[in-house]
Amino acid sequence: MGSGYECNSRGLIMPIFALLDCNNFYASCERLFNPSLNNKPIVVLSNNDGCIIARSNEAKALGIPMGEPYYKAKSIIENNNVAVFSSNYTLYGDMSRRVMATVKGFIPDVEIYSIDEVFMDLSNYPNPEGLSKDIRQAVTLWTGIPVSIGIGSSKTLAKVANHIAKKYTAYEGVFHIDSEDRRKKVLKHFAVGDVWGVGRRLNKKLTSYGVNTAYDLSIQPDSWVRKSMTVVGLKTVQELRGESCIELELKPEHKKMITVSRSFGRKVYEKSSIKEALANFAERAAEKLRGEKQLTKEIYISLYKELAASGKANYKDNALLKLAYPTDSTLELMSYVSKAFDEIYIEGMGYKKCGIDLLKLQPKSHFVKDLFDTRNTCKQDELMVAIDSINNKMGNNTIQMATSRGKGKWVAKKDLKSLCYTTRWDELAIVG
DNA sequence: TCTGGGGTCCTAGGACCC
DNA sequence: TCTGGGGTCCTAGGACCC
């Protein structure tokens, strides 16, 4: 306590990681702008209003499971007056930025791990626990989002500690695995399936071998772990023992792929509708790509059809396009996608979903035009910059390519979406 | 054409995460 | 057992080479 450094059994200095995680993030965001929902159950639905992806504590207490299809939970929801929202990613993204900005005000060295989680390196701070309490308080005060913080000598242990901080209110939202005794005690009561890196599949396998708790896993021999969980699992196990193997990623690496895909609200047969959807996705993907300041060299197009007869739910038709020259132009992407689509589309087929991936990305700054490249890239760049800046200022889709704007038969259902309280002038929250 | 052994590169698919 | 969309990483296996 007090030095800011922990030592392991060999007397080596160990790093200190903290993980801040927003409690029931999406549900908390919705509640923020609707105080009448305080202490009331809330659920948030996935795209397409398909299933439940976030629940307030009250909704969890009602026994509504995570990932439950909406229609299955409908009776519980109606009987208990549960507030239901379609997901509103604009709102969540904006609230996330506010939370992260608050954290960065305390700790400059952070890794934003997901929309509602951030890892911090507290190795050089004398009182990690006190500091975490201050951060937690500031985030609550300045953003209204409740958060929990877990502290440990590896990222995996910080994750475990975070679970404890959330579960046991007596710790007031901050829990530190600060000794060997505490580490063992905690891991012995921690289900192996809840460990970061152990998914459904591995959980099943491990429990079948009698490895039920995180502690059980942590004492397995390396060779066995390597064999049954690959090198990834070995890292997890070492981290559970308190040895840090997964470093903080302070600077986000360049993205390796960009995906835009969507399920349709229903089966879609019209060629023009699917083409319109793909054009939309190409547009979105190109925007993301330019936002990342990268170019793409490969486009992967997938159409998902439903094969009722085969028992298999989804069957996929793909096309992989390798581009002669890397690009970030919406126009080029759209024309490639459109041509490839014509080749894989089957007349009369009912499609349930489609999407595109951009692969083999490379930084735009590294691009050198060669003699055989006859594209007018400068002119396209100017056009794209103009479109992006207008769309940024005036809202998405202010300017859109004609092929991507249509009747929108493919558009997903979003019946219960809340307003964009923080990002759109016309939907600002009204105080009064 | 198979006979051996060894190596690299690429892709598809699986498993995990939020 | 797929209910959603967007990611990353690892491995097995095929193609191809000597």
Side-chain angles (χ1 to χ4, degrees):
Chain A
M1 279 281 275
S3 75
Y5 289 100
E6 294 183 347
C7 293
N8 66 6
S9 52
R10 286 165 294 178
L12 298 172
I13 290 172
M14 295 173 88
I16 300 177
F17 294 99
L19 172 69
L20 176 145
D21 190 318
C22 302
N23 302 349
N24 316 323
F25 183 55
Y26 297 169
S28 299
C29 288
E30 297 294 350
R31 178 128 73 194
L32 219 47
F33 295 95
N34 208 332
S36 67
L37 295 176
N38 284 342
N39 309 313
K40 300 256 170 64
I42 299 175
V43 298
V44 178
L45 305 178
S46 66
N47 243 317
N48 229 11
D49 291 348
C51 56
I52 291 162
I53 55 168
R55 305 155 297 157
S56 69
N57 285 338
E58 298 78 10
K60 288 178 190 172
L62 287 171
I64 300 173
M66 178 68 170
E68 179 88 337
Y70 178 36
Y71 70 89
K72 277 195 188 169
K74 236 171 185 163
S75 64
I76 309 186
I77 287 173
E78 280 162 12
N79 294 337
N80 295 279
N81 263 323
V82 178
V84 181
F85 293 91
S86 300
S87 36
N88 181 348
Y89 290 103
T90 314
L91 172 64
Y92 311 148
D94 191 57
M95 286 316 300
S96 173
R97 268 188 296 281
R98 293 171 193 224
V99 170
M100 300 306 169
T102 306
V103 173
K104 282 183 190 166
F106 287 84
I107 315 279
D109 286 346
V110 303
E111 172 190 343
I112 296 175
Y113 179 70
S114 76
I115 194 164
D116 68 335
E117 285 170 279
V118 51
F119 280 107
M120 301 169 262
D121 181 0
L122 300 189
S123 306
N124 295 314
Y125 293 86
N127 179 4
E129 237 172 282
L131 178 58
S132 295
K133 284 180 179 160
D134 292 345
I135 294 173
R136 176 170 179 267
Q137 207 170 30
V139 173
T140 310
L141 197 65
W142 298 343
T143 71
I145 300 286
V147 300
S148 309
I149 300 180
I151 312 169
S153 60
S154 68
K155 285 167 114 179
T156 305
L157 284 180
K159 275 252 178 195
V160 171
N162 192 283
H163 270 85
I164 313 277
K166 272 214 179 78
K167 193 167 165 189
Y168 301 99
T169 49
Y171 294 114
E172 293 177 8
V174 175
F175 185 80
H176 188 181
I177 300 178
D178 58 358
S179 68
E180 264 300 280
D181 277 355
R182 203 168 216 195
R183 181 183 71 82
K184 285 182 189 160
K185 197 170 166 192
V186 162
L187 293 192
K188 281 179 185 171
H189 291 94
F190 202 79
V192 76
D194 291 337
V195 171
W196 190 37
V198 178
R200 274 230 262 286
R201 205 89 172 200
L202 271 177
N203 183 34
K204 212 173 152 190
K205 187 166 170 182
L206 289 170
T207 48
S208 82
Y209 283 111
V211 175
N212 295 308
T213 67
Y215 182 76
D216 296 340
L217 181 58
S218 75
I219 57 171
Q220 297 307 311
D222 286 4
S223 56
W224 183 83
V225 173
R226 170 67 247 255
K227 206 170 66 217
S228 40
M229 299 173 69
T230 81
V231 293
V232 185
L234 189 55
K235 275 191 186 177
T236 297
V237 168
Q238 287 166 338
E239 289 238 332
L240 283 176
R241 295 175 188 149
E243 304 159 25
S244 167
C245 303
I246 309 171
E247 293 303 306
L248 217 61
E249 272 173 38
L250 297 180
K251 284 216 176 64
E253 284 179 21
H254 279 121
K255 272 209 174 94
K256 287 158 191 161
M257 86 192 265
I258 288 174
T259 305
V260 184
S261 72
R262 213 74 63 194
S263 297
F264 305 136
R266 56 176 182 81
K267 268 196 207 174
V268 176
Y269 294 89
E270 301 84 2
K271 187 173 183 185
S272 60
S273 295
I274 300 169
K275 210 164 184 172
E276 179 193 317
L278 284 172
N280 257 281
F281 300 167
E283 202 169 19
R284 287 277 308 114
E287 281 164 17
K288 285 192 193 179
L289 193 58
R290 292 194 292 271
E292 297 274 323
K293 295 195 176 12
Q294 296 215 79
L295 303 174
T296 183
K297 267 211 94 170
E298 277 185 14
I299 310 173
Y300 190 76
I301 299 163
S302 329
L303 303 179
Y304 297 77
K305 52 201 180 198
E306 200 177 52
L307 285 187
S310 79
K312 282 210 166 187
N314 288 306
Y315 183 75
K316 213 166 81 165
D317 264 352
N318 326 305
L320 178 63
L321 300 170
K322 303 189 183 213
L323 312 188
Y325 300 104
T327 186
D328 64 358
S329 153
T330 302
L331 298 173
E332 277 186 55
L333 246 51
M334 276 185 169
S335 97
Y336 282 122
V337 168
S338 158
K339 258 184 242 152
F341 169 70
D342 287 342
E343 280 170 33
I344 56 174
Y345 169 79
I346 300 165
E347 191 72 45
M349 180 68 67
Y351 291 97
K352 292 282 285 184
K353 174 181 173 178
C354 70
I356 63 176
D357 302 295
L358 306 183
L359 309 164
K360 298 264 155 73
L361 308 186
Q362 51 178 262
K364 186 161 189 170
S365 55
H366 295 180
F367 176 65
V368 183
K369 203 170 160 159
D370 75 33
L371 287 172
F372 303 100
D373 186 355
T374 55
R375 301 171 302 162
N376 190 345
T377 44
C378 292
K379 203 156 189 181
Q380 286 210 39
D381 278 346
E382 282 172 29
L383 179 60
M384 293 305 138
V385 168
I387 290 177
D388 287 342
S389 88
I390 291 173
N391 281 341
N392 273 335
K393 264 187 224 143
M394 314 288 286
N396 270 345
N397 298 338
T398 303
I399 294 191
Q400 230 188 333
M401 302 298 157
T403 39
S404 66
R405 189 197 315 246
K407 297 168 292 292
K409 281 190 184 155
W410 56 276
V411 171
K413 268 198 309 193
K414 242 183 198 205
D415 295 339
L416 309 160
K417 194 172 88 89
S418 55
L419 300 173
C420 295
Y421 304 102
T422 58
T423 54
R424 293 191 58 132
W425 293 108
D426 52 344
E427 294 183 5
L428 278 180
I430 293 162
V431 182

